[in-house]
Amino acid sequence: MMMTTTSTSRPSSHHDDHPKLKPTNNSPSAPFCCHLHPDILYRIASKLPPKEFARTSILSSDWTWSACPRLTFDAAAICKCPREDLHLHGHFQRYIYEVNGVLQKHHNKLVETLEVKVDFVDSRLLARHIDTWVQFAVSSKTKNLTLDLNPKRFFDYDDLYVFPFQLLDQGRSISRLQHMQLSFVSLNPPSQFKGFPNLRKLHLKTVKVNRKDLENVLSHCSTLEWLFIDRCRLDDELIIVDSPLPRLLYLRVHFCFTKIKFNAVNLATFEYDGDFIPIDLVQSSKLQSANIRFMTATIQHALISLLNGLPSVQSLTLQIRLQYIQKQWLWDNPLKFTNLKHLQWFIFVLPKDVDKVLYSLAFLRATPFIEKLEVHFTGCDLWLAEAGPCRKDLGQCKYVHLKHIWISGFRAARGQLEFLLHVIENAPALETLLVEIGQYPPFNDWYGDNGPPIKEAMEIARTCMRPILPQIVTFDVKE
């Protein structure tokens, strides 16, 4: 059985937030730590491993802890079997027996954190017991609740655990919740449910919920700081939260929606992984970092979408797993990233787009305040490719703040070379330039036993770039 005692939240000094201690022995022979305030004693003890936590009673016969900071019940660890075998040989019965036994010992005690980790593949057996465990969390004034019920093959099961909102009152018990993780759960809150007033961190994974219910719950989590929504099933896969989330600092979304819109003025970090969709975070004027991974998109379409949705981002990482490049420069596009200073860009070039690499500069032309540029190319057909336009077709576009450039996956294709030469010639403040020659993919043998022309690509980079670089620029080419 996994039962840990490491607290995930700092205990409060309020009298009902730490375990009760009997009066300490104040005699000269009592241990020095017995004279410490109960809050300090609790914080020290909560950092100990489980066995050491239990042994603290030997320091004084008068000590009696009435709380356990953390209870974690991992079914695979308790039953000592692989996850996929939990439903065999009575493992679930053993798990239920172990959990109920431990919770009985902690009846009427404070439990800071309760974590339940079991594959929900037998709803008839598990559902009523999980209800009991949630009821225990309510009565134990738990701050951090995790119901990790996601089966390894969750797509094989449709019977999700129905979260028991009826067990949560709108008073003290629900106000205690600060962190909550729910996976493989169905959410159907009652109409009068008004959210979690003190919830700061929420992780939803493979959760089934009506769009309006989700938006209603989130709209009433005014203290929310951290939100992760992963592979959730909504009725129309559209989420628009117009109500302000003034404290939301971190937002992460994976494979969920067809449109995302949040009103989070203080959002600092945003991460998205999934299909190419509209993302509206226009209200997030303080957005420091965005990490975007689209499954499929055209570079120019992704540019327009991000300019409309993330205009204030300061640092952007963009990766398109299957990307296309159009033959257009977007000359007349008035939209610009007003605060973008660092761009990390992964460019996967399809064989049919080898002659279009230079057109990807349309993205860079929308970054007038860029200071640091990282471009990581992939595409085996780039080696010494001679197809594509020249930079003279671009016209001038100054990058007056650009100081650092790092290019990897350089294979001396004309598009790559013209891309770099254009940027170098228009970056008067450049300080460092690092060019890394791409490694030859092991599944290609177009160059026979001699491998890819790495040396030739290195020589092209040196001879073409060094003459136009100011002497003060630190320049390096390496494999």
Side-chain angles (χ1 to χ4, degrees), residues 372-409:
K372 183 177 181 180
L373 173 65
E374 299 179 32
V375 181
H376 306 287
F377 287 100
T378 57
C380 56
D381 290 333
L382 289 170
W383 284 111
L384 309 182
E386 297 183 358
C390 297
R391 65 188 186 280
K392 64 180 181 180
D393 300 324
L394 283 172
Q396 286 195 348
C397 181
K398 293 294 183 181
Y399 313 102
V400 296
H401 302 280
L402 185 58
K403 298 179 181 180
H404 308 284
I405 301 176
W406 173 23
I407 303 293
S408 71

Side-chain angles (χ1 to χ4, degrees), residues 78-228:
I78 290 175
C79 299
K80 296 181 174 60
C81 71
R83 289 179 57 186
E84 54 269 22
D85 294 340
L86 281 172
H87 65 289
L88 303 174
H89 311 302
H91 288 308
F92 278 152
Q93 286 83 354
R94 176 187 174 187
Y95 175 72
I96 292 169
Y97 175 80
E98 294 282 355
V99 175
N100 287 337
V102 173
L103 296 188
Q104 180 61 35
K105 293 180 180 178
H106 290 84
H107 181 63
N108 290 331
K109 297 180 181 179
L110 291 173
V111 175
E112 293 282 322
T113 299
L114 177 63
E115 298 179 348
V116 175
K117 299 181 180 182
V118 58
D119 292 10
F120 193 76
V121 298
D122 190 339
S123 59
R124 291 177 296 178
L125 176 63
L126 288 171
R128 60 187 179 89
H129 290 284
I130 298 176
D131 284 349
T132 302
W133 303 338
V134 172
Q135 180 65 64
F136 170 86
V138 171
S139 62
S140 300
K141 301 178 181 178
T142 296
K143 291 182 179 180
N144 313 307
L145 175 63
T146 294
L147 299 180
D148 188 356
L149 313 179
N150 205 62
K152 190 173 183 179
R153 295 177 57 86
F154 63 89
F155 41 81
D156 289 341
Y157 303 93
D158 294 322
D159 196 6
L160 284 69
Y161 173 68
V162 179
F163 189 79
F165 284 95
Q166 70 278 7
L167 298 180
L168 304 176
D169 60 60
Q170 291 293 309
R172 185 166 183 78
S173 64
I174 198 171
S175 298
R176 292 277 302 181
L177 278 172
Q178 297 181 8
H179 300 170
M180 188 161 61
Q181 177 181 343
L182 303 176
S183 66
F184 212 63
V185 169
S186 176
L187 298 180
N188 185 21
S191 57
Q192 70 274 16
F193 186 72
K194 298 301 181 182
F196 301 92
N198 291 315
L199 196 66
R200 290 163 31 202
K201 184 174 182 179
L202 177 62
H203 182 182
L204 302 177
K205 182 178 181 181
T206 58
V207 167
K208 183 179 180 181
V209 59
N210 177 279
R211 174 176 64 88
K212 292 183 179 180
D213 286 339
L214 178 59
E215 292 172 0
N216 181 53
V217 170
L218 293 178
S219 297
H220 290 88
C221 292
S222 59
T223 61
L224 199 62
E225 300 173 358
W226 191 100
L227 175 61
F228 182 12

Side-chain angles (χ1 to χ4, degrees), residues 28-39:
S29 61
F32 169 76
C33 59
C34 290
H35 300 285
L36 297 176
H37 190 277
D39 282 326

